[in-house]
Amino acid sequence: MITPGTDLRYLLGMDGESHERLTCLVLPAAGHLAPPALVVPRLEAPGLAGLPLDELGVEIITWTDDEDPYLLVSDLAGGPSRMGVADAMPAAHVFGLRDIFPEVAQTLAGPVLRELRMRKCPTEVAELRAAGAAIDRVHARMGEFLRVGRTEAEVGADIAAAIVEEGHTGAAFVIVGSGPNGASPHHDVSGRTIERGDVVVIDIGGPLPSGYHSDCTRTYAVGAEPAAAVCAAYAVLQGAQEASVAAVRPGVTAASVDAAAREPITAAGLGERFVHRTGHGIGLDVHEQPYIVRGNSLVLEPGMAFSVEPGVYLDGGWGARIEDIVVVTADGCERLNTRPRDLVVL
Amino acid sequence: MITPGTDLRYLLGMDGESHERLTCLVLPAAGHLAPPALVVPRLEAPGLAGLPLDELGVEIITWTDDEDPYLLVSDLAGGPSRMGVADAMPAAHVFGLRDIFPEVAQTLAGPVLRELRMRKCPTEVAELRAAGAAIDRVHARMGEFLRVGRTEAEVGADIAAAIVEEGHTGAAFVIVGSGPNGASPHHDVSGRTIERGDVVVIDIGGPLPSGYHSDCTRTYAVGAEPAAAVCAAYAVLQGAQEASVAAVRPGVTAASVDAAAREPITAAGLGERFVHRTGHGIGLDVHEQPYIVRGNSLVLEPGMAFSVEPGVYLDGGWGARIEDIVVVTADGCERLNTRPRDLVVL
């Protein structure tokens, strides 16, 4: 049972988000008689005209505001013993389906779909490569935006516009973490004014028209070389990011790539300052499988795409992060971001 | 159990969307000992600094990427017999909570929260009024955007920019349904070029910085008076919208407001062409309770805010819709959109 979101976009090319009116792809497991069917509010049916539903053999079943869409799903699905629901399905629909199938065990569909989604085909890799090039063009223009005397919010607004100018349909996130704000990994922007000597974390990305995302972080110094202690910690971080990228190849675990980043940072006494996992898969979602995190024994295969983004965060002081998207190749990986990884002074 | 989304914004002023890392407000029912607690990824804790958590007595519990956040929730919640989860909570988190509390019945939190959210306080009404005025200013500028020879997409891009210029933080939706595309109620924009004589449905809105939304539809004719049959059907629609607004007052049911719109349209033989409910509540969500739909016996009370937006849709031909947001007052309602409701010729 797949409601709107990136799973449905992956399967049918259908865009849009879930809302209170049920849209649901009912996809029987192999061996069942019923064809796949898309249950959709009648007023949205005209919007399906461009989708390859006939080609895929997907039947359209419409419903109106005074009908019960869960009953329609129940008629279509017959008497299943298990039901997988999209990981992102809102609870309101999860429970609507649970109540119409009270005897049916509900599980996540994610474990099935991720086996498809996390292995990118060449077309998907080409989209991720184009997204990487687009966000690299934005980083190449950072000197236009990031200047002493401007607020993070002003810098961020310019970056958001540049993300669109360089080919994305929008800015999915714009982090401008200057000075002490850089110590908060998921800071976005604030009214803080950029000062001479600030270290600034810039983590930005968005979707191309295809829906595939960019995501790239660089750390800049503004107007002056940073203090020696900052440069020393940054050098450790840069070495850790290189080591982690160098560890990526088919046959190794996701956890081992995380460890390759974490070990040199820990050895330098900064382990407690690296407060997040090393990376996340990327594709139609900004964050998807595989996660590059301690304990993840998933074995990497060609076509898997994810971020490698260690960071260090000094409370009240400053932060730094370096992030590239990589795709696993036959014997290593391809980096999709190629801007300099040094602590560039603007 | 409330994950990020508009419920959490309503309760704590906390913005942002749900993602794969669990953030969850654990809110014990009255009579339990434990204080409310917000379970949040450690890397996001700095972003909570501006929230009134101390004032509200909400404890912050952080977790890191190698911990199990559901275990933390379980420690906090003790041994409940029932658990309400946010209607928008993604299935991945619903099942994470289910599996850690296998004996606990899960229900939707929506029926509890909607009792608060659907009765707007004066501050919320003021925000909705400001949003209505902002989107009315965009409609007032429609002659700048909607002209013969331009594509729907070009018109839509200009409207989206104007929505931001007039005070919204973004355009949540922009429908430019020209000619036959107007017959699809949830059309957005296309490459179709506006022609002289087109009837065009423009349904637009977005959030103010407070998160409260605008939503207003007007139907325009471009460059020429439409055919007499169009004008006749439009007159029926306009009368139906007036009748429906006139029916809004405390003590009547949501269904009766729907019926007041539907009856004159049905009497004119167009009942089959009015394919959706009459309206939806609005606030932090564009669509929320109360829904103005057949079968909804909810009795209206002062402070309830919703759209009144009947429409007629002629397959392959044209469509029209008129939408105002109204707020129930002590003895009737206040309309928050005041642009002319005639079929204005641009």
Side-chain angles (χ1 to χ4, degrees):
Chain A
M1 306 293 185
I2 311 293
T3 41
T6 53
D7 284 335
L8 202 57
R9 186 159 189 178
Y10 182 85
L11 292 169
L12 297 185
M14 183 175 171
D15 207 354
E17 293 178 7
S18 227
H19 54 71
E20 80 284 4
R21 287 188 179 102
L22 182 73
T23 291
C24 186
L25 176 64
V26 181
L27 199 57
H32 284 268
L33 280 173
L38 186 65
V39 173
V40 66
R42 180 173 158 199
L43 80 174
E44 293 180 11
L48 307 177
L51 302 181
L53 299 179
D54 278 353
E55 194 182 328
L56 292 168
V58 176
E59 198 176 339
I60 299 177
I61 310 287
T62 64
W63 62 278
T64 58
D65 283 344
D66 49 4
E67 293 180 294
D68 180 342
Y70 305 109
L71 271 180
L72 295 178
V73 170
S74 153
D75 289 346
L76 288 164
S81 57
R82 283 192 306 157
M83 173 198 309
V85 309
D87 290 22
M89 184 185 289
H93 294 317
V94 174
F95 294 169
L97 292 170
R98 179 191 69 184
D99 294 347
I100 209 87
F101 292 106
E103 304 300 321
V104 178
Q106 288 186 321
T107 59
L108 291 177
V112 175
L113 288 164
R114 82 175 53 146
E115 295 298 319
L116 300 169
R117 288 185 55 182
M118 78 179 166
R119 294 173 178 84
K120 268 69 182 178
C121 71
T123 308
E124 293 178 285
V125 172
E127 286 294 333
L128 288 171
R129 195 181 286 123
I135 206 70
D136 280 3
R137 291 194 296 273
V138 178
H139 271 294
R141 293 172 56 188
M142 202 53 62
E144 295 175 34
F145 316 130
L146 185 58
R147 294 197 306 270
V148 170
R150 309 191 74 206
T151 66
E152 290 178 359
E154 289 167 346
V155 173
D158 285 355
I159 291 173
I163 287 173
V164 173
E165 287 163 16
E166 299 297 345
H168 301 83
T169 59
F173 50 92
V174 176
I175 295 176
V176 181
S178 69
N181 291 338
S184 172
H186 274 194
H187 177 75
D188 46 11
V189 298
S190 77
R192 184 181 182 278
T193 300
I194 310 292
E195 297 172 13
R196 185 177 149 84
D198 276 354
V199 175
V200 186
V201 176
I202 306 277
D203 184 349
I204 54 180
L208 297 189
S210 63
Y212 286 84
H213 283 84
S214 64
D215 186 1
C216 181
T217 309
R218 290 293 183 265
T219 302
Y220 300 90
V222 182
E225 285 289 340
V230 171
C231 293
Y234 190 89
V236 170
L237 177 66
Q238 194 172 352
Q241 206 261 355
E242 285 296 327
S244 186
V245 171
V248 176
R249 58 182 178 278
V252 306
T253 65
S256 72
V257 175
D258 180 79
R262 207 163 295 277
E263 279 160 14
I265 292 174
T266 303
L270 292 167
E272 289 290 308
R273 305 304 191 162
F274 177 14
V275 296
H276 54 72
R277 64 194 175 204
T278 293
H280 54 81
I282 190 167
L284 291 171
D285 281 311
V286 181
H287 289 182
E288 59 181 50
Q289 301 279 343
Y291 292 102
I292 309 303
V293 62
R294 206 177 327 202
N296 187 356
S297 57
L298 177 85
V299 174
L300 300 184
E301 295 177 32
M304 291 182 178
F306 49 84
S307 68
V308 176
E309 52 173 316
V312 291
Y313 308 95
L314 287 298
D315 287 349
W318 60 284
R321 184 163 64 253
I322 305 170
E323 175 183 27
D324 294 318
I325 303 302
V326 302
V327 182
V328 183
T329 58
D331 57 357
C333 74
E334 175 186 349
R335 270 171 144 146
L336 303 186
N337 301 102
T338 58
R339 295 288 308 161
R341 295 173 193 91
D342 309 312
L343 186 51
V344 171
V345 180
L346 292 177
Chain B
M1 306 291 187
I2 310 294
T3 40
T6 52
D7 285 334
L8 201 56
R9 186 160 190 177
Y10 182 85
L11 292 170
L12 298 185
M14 184 176 171
D15 207 355
E17 293 179 6
S18 228
H19 55 70
E20 80 285 3
R21 287 190 180 102
L22 181 72
T23 291
C24 186
L25 176 64
V26 181
L27 199 56
H32 283 268
L33 280 174
L38 186 64
V39 174
V40 65
R42 180 174 158 197
L43 81 174
E44 294 181 9
L48 307 177
L51 302 181
L53 299 180
D54 278 352
E55 194 182 328
L56 292 168
V58 176
E59 198 176 340
I60 299 178
I61 310 287
T62 64
W63 61 278
T64 59
D65 282 344
D66 49 4
E67 293 180 293
D68 181 341
Y70 304 110
L71 271 180
L72 295 179
V73 171
S74 154
D75 289 346
L76 290 164
S81 58
R82 285 191 304 156
M83 173 198 308
V85 309
D87 290 22
M89 184 185 288
H93 294 315
V94 174
F95 294 169
L97 292 171
R98 181 191 67 184
D99 294 348
I100 208 88
F101 292 104
E103 305 300 321
V104 178
Q106 289 185 320
T107 60
L108 292 177
V112 175
L113 288 164
R114 82 175 52 143
E115 295 297 320
L116 299 169
R117 288 185 54 182
M118 78 180 166
R119 293 172 179 85
K120 269 69 182 177
C121 71
T123 309
E124 293 179 286
V125 171
E127 286 293 333
L128 288 170
R129 195 180 287 123
I135 205 69
D136 280 3
R137 291 193 295 272
V138 179
H139 272 294
R141 294 172 55 189
M142 202 53 62
E144 296 174 36
F145 316 131
L146 184 57
R147 294 197 305 270
V148 170
R150 309 191 74 206
T151 66
E152 289 178 358
E154 289 167 346
V155 173
D158 285 355
I159 292 173
I163 287 173
V164 173
E165 288 162 16
E166 298 298 345
H168 301 83
T169 61
F173 51 91
V174 175
I175 295 176
V176 181
S178 70
N181 292 337
S184 171
H186 273 194
H187 177 74
D188 46 11
V189 298
S190 77
R192 184 180 182 278
T193 300
I194 310 292
E195 297 172 15
R196 186 178 148 83
D198 275 353
V199 175
V200 185
V201 176
I202 306 278
D203 184 350
I204 55 180
L208 297 189
S210 63
Y212 287 83
H213 282 85
S214 64
D215 185 1
C216 180
T217 308
R218 291 292 183 266
T219 301
Y220 300 90
V222 182
E225 286 288 339
V230 170
C231 293
Y234 189 89
V236 170
L237 176 66
Q238 193 172 352
Q241 205 262 355
E242 285 295 329
S244 186
V245 171
V248 175
R249 60 181 176 278
V252 306
T253 65
S256 73
V257 175
D258 180 79
R262 208 164 295 278
E263 279 159 13
I265 293 174
T266 303
L270 292 167
E272 288 290 307
R273 305 305 191 162
F274 178 14
V275 296
H276 55 73
R277 64 193 174 203
T278 292
H280 54 81
I282 189 166
L284 291 171
D285 281 312
V286 181
H287 289 182
E288 59 181 50
Q289 300 279 343
Y291 292 103
I292 308 303
V293 61
R294 203 175 331 200
N296 187 357
S297 58
L298 177 85
V299 175
L300 299 184
E301 296 178 30
M304 292 183 178
F306 49 84
S307 68
V308 176
E309 51 174 315
V312 291
Y313 308 96
L314 288 298
D315 287 348
W318 60 284
R321 184 164 63 255
I322 305 170
E323 175 184 26
D324 294 319
I325 303 301
V326 302
V327 181
V328 183
T329 58
D331 58 358
C333 72
E334 175 186 349
R335 270 171 144 146
L336 303 186
N337 301 103
T338 59
R339 295 288 308 161
R341 296 174 191 89
D342 309 313
L343 186 51
V344 171
V345 180
L346 292 176

